[in-house]
Amino acid sequence: GAHWRTMASHSTALVMIARDEARCIGRALESLRPWVDRMIVLDTGSSDATPRLAAEAGAQVHHLPWPDDFAAARNAALALNSCDWAVVVDADEWLAAGGETLAALRTQAPDFVGQIEIASSYDNHGQAASSSTWLPRVLPNVAPNAVRYEGRIHEHPRHSLPLRRLPLRLAHDGYEPVAMRNKGDRNLRLLQAALRDAPGD
C-alpha cells in the first residue's frame, strides 16, 4: 500500500476550452476519461448542447464569456485545475494512441513539458490527407513551474522547462470540410452581426 501511494502520487486532469462543439466533445472526453483523474471543460458561450454533453461525459463544466483571446481562455481553464498535470485537449481531437502514457504521468514529477503528436486529417482537393505536428500539451501545474499561455491567437505555453516527447497521439478532424464550414459560418455570422451593429463601418 505505502509503496503504491508513493508511486502514484501525482494527479492528471484533462483541460479543455470549448464552444458549440456538440458534434465532437463527447468523443474527445470519452476517449480520454479512462486515463485521467479529472476532466475540466471551460465553456466559452455555447448555444448548443456542449455543456450538457460535457457534464454527461463526466467533466466538471465551468463557464466564461469568450474573452476574444485564446491564451486568456486557456489560462482561465488551467486556473481551474488543482491536479499536478494538465493535458490540454481540444474538443475536435480524440485519443488515438498512448493512454498508458497518460496514466503513467501519475508516477512522474511534474517538472517537464510533454509534447504529443497531433495527427490532423483534412481534405486536399477532394482527397483525404493527413499531417502530424508535435505540440506542447502536457503541462506541469506546480508552482513555481506552473505553465501559462500567451498569444491572443496561435497561443502557446511559455516556460523554461525541459521538453519531452511522449508516445501519445491525438487525432484531430477540425480541418475536415464540415468542421471548417462551421467555423467559417461562425465567422461570417460574427461579421454580419458587426455590420448590423455598425452599418457605416
Side-chain angles (χ1 to χ4, degrees), residues 128-150:
S130 63
S131 65
S132 277
T133 44
W134 287 84
L135 294 175
R137 294 288 201 87
V138 176
L139 310 180
N141 186 37
V142 177
N145 288 339
V147 177
R148 291 294 178 261
Y149 279 85
E150 58 185 23

Side-chain angles (χ1 to χ4, degrees), residues 108-126:
Q108 293 181 283
D111 56 8
F112 67 91
V113 167
Q115 293 177 304
I116 66 179
E117 184 185 0
I118 312 291
S120 296
S121 55
Y122 59 96
D123 184 293
N124 182 27
H125 306 297

